[in-house]
């Protein structure tokens, strides 16, 4: 069975001091544990070490994730972060292919695929994002669009432990807009993602891979998504920036 997962993407929010404070508050709010729910927080790069220290000192029941990585090990790549650098500060997850990176920083499926391979070679779990823009949704071709992303993003990957690869379906029109997909919308695409993963990696592996929904997920609506067969958790933006709302989502998943 798949453990549910609630992951917080802080995006470009929280200075070092604010990030440490949020991690402390969250550790406090979740001090009774998270049951079978895997919880991940993904702060900005400069906050990673501070949050990692809080996790160690407070034995916090959540893991550390980064928001991006580069696929080279070291060298002249100004502004980038290598996978061993993430590893060294205790990051065990990393978001890749977020629509904001695809849109604003021109990240392609080929880049996402290279990043996944690099992360997996360092035993860092990719949280690989996919999702369609509004015009594709309105044209009714969203399933084919996302299936194509999944095929490109996973090309040549070897998944020996399905718990170590995570997909996040985030319809772009629902991100930060307050406009959520319905639970049925999410299931339609997440089901198609799992079927595609089964074609590529076999049913047993596909059944072990967590597929998260993201896009205006909040304490009030998360349970509805989690009822769906192929939705195993949430990738949360805005509602992950406060310990009370994020911990409420974790509790709703328990
Ligand atoms: P919101 O939850 O703020 O809509 O953001 C979703 C998201 O992009 C998480 O990666």
């Amino acid at each position: 069975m798949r453990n549910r997962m609630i992951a917080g993407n802080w995006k470009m929010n929280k200075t070092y001091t604010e990030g440490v404070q949020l991690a402390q508050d969250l550790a406090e709010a979740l001090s009774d544990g998270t049951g079978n729910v895997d919880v991940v927080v993904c702060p900005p790069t400069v906050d990673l070490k501070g949050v990692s220290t809080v996790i160690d000192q407070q034995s916090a029941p959540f893991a550390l994730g980064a928001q991006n990585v580069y696929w080279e090990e070291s060298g002249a790549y100004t502004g980038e972060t290598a996978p061993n650098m993430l590893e060294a500060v205790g990051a065990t997850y990393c978001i890749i292919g977020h629509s904001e990176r695809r849109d604003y920083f021109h990240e392609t499926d080929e880049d996402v695929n290279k990043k996944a391979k690099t992360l997996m070679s360092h035993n860092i779990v990719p949280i690989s994002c996919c999702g369609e823009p509004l015009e594709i949704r309105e044209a009714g071709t969203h399933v084919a669009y996302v299936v194509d992303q999944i095929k490109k993003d996973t090309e040549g990957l070897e998944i020996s432990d399905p718990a170590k690869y995570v997909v996040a379906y985030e319809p772009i029109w629902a991100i930060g807009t307050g406009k959520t997909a319905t639970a049925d919308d999410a299931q339609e695409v997440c089901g198609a993602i799992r079927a595609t993963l089964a074609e590529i990696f076999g049913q047993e592996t596909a059944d072990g891979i967590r597929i998260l929904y993201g896009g205006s997920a909040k304490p009030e609506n998360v349970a509805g998504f989690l009822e769906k067969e192929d939705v195993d958790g949430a990738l949360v933006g805005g509602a992950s920036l406060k310990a009370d709302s994020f911990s409420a989502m974790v509790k709703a998943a328990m």
Side-chain angles (χ1 to χ4, degrees):
M1 247 336 261
R2 304 181 287 270
N3 278 355
R4 284 177 171 170
M5 175 175 285
I6 302 290
N9 175 8
W10 295 3
K11 306 193 180 182
M12 197 175 74
N13 296 292
K14 306 293 175 189
T15 63
Y16 185 85
T17 313
E18 292 165 347
V20 165
Q21 184 66 53
L22 176 55
Q24 286 171 342
D25 293 347
L26 194 58
E28 185 67 31
L30 296 174
S31 59
D32 290 339
T34 63
N36 285 334
V37 181
D38 291 339
V39 180
V40 185
V41 298
C42 304
T45 311
V46 294
D47 297 359
L48 286 169
K49 178 65 187 160
V51 174
S52 169
T53 304
V54 173
I55 293 173
D56 288 346
Q57 285 175 348
Q58 294 185 223
S59 303
F62 47 84
L64 184 66
Q67 296 178 15
N68 189 24
V69 67
Y70 196 57
W71 54 79
E72 295 291 347
E73 299 292 325
S74 66
Y77 303 100
T78 302
E80 293 294 326
T81 310
N84 62 322
M85 296 173 181
L86 299 181
E87 220 178 357
V89 292
T92 49
Y93 290 84
C94 181
I95 296 169
I96 53 175
H98 194 280
S99 61
E100 288 148 17
R101 295 220 53 90
R102 293 178 189 257
D103 275 1
Y104 305 144
F105 306 101
H106 314 295
E107 197 163 303
T108 64
D109 286 311
E110 196 187 3
D111 298 339
V112 177
N113 180 255
K114 283 199 248 181
K115 290 179 181 197
K117 286 178 179 154
T118 301
L119 289 169
M120 290 166 88
S121 74
H122 284 268
N123 211 22
I124 299 175
V125 179
I127 300 177
S128 189
C129 301
C130 56
E132 79 285 357
L134 184 60
E135 61 271 21
I136 296 289
R137 167 65 58 165
E138 284 175 343
T141 53
H142 48 284
V143 172
Y145 182 94
V146 173
V147 163
D148 184 59
Q149 285 183 317
I150 294 290
K151 286 183 178 161
K152 289 175 175 155
D153 296 349
T154 59
E155 204 179 305
L157 289 191
E158 283 176 27
I159 301 180
S160 50
D161 178 355
K164 300 218 162 149
Y165 185 78
V166 177
V167 175
Y169 167 58
E170 300 203 309
I172 299 170
W173 47 272
I175 296 178
T177 57
K179 204 171 172 182
T180 21
T182 65
D184 287 333
D185 289 336
Q187 171 57 32
E188 180 194 28
V189 181
C190 292
I193 291 171
R194 195 172 313 282
T196 307
L197 293 170
E199 270 171 37
I200 301 169
F201 299 107
Q203 192 66 52
E204 199 179 327
T205 299
D207 283 341
I209 294 176
R210 266 81 60 87
I211 305 175
L212 315 181
Y213 167 77
S216 301
K218 42 187 182 266
E220 304 80 61
N221 64 20
V222 70
F225 289 104
L226 293 173
E227 274 171 18
K228 296 293 170 185
E229 187 183 346
D230 291 301
V231 181
D232 305 309
L235 180 56
V236 186
S240 73
L241 298 175
K242 291 208 168 105
D244 57 355
S245 49
F246 191 63
S247 61
M249 295 179 80
V250 173
K251 286 172 188 168
M254 281 167 69

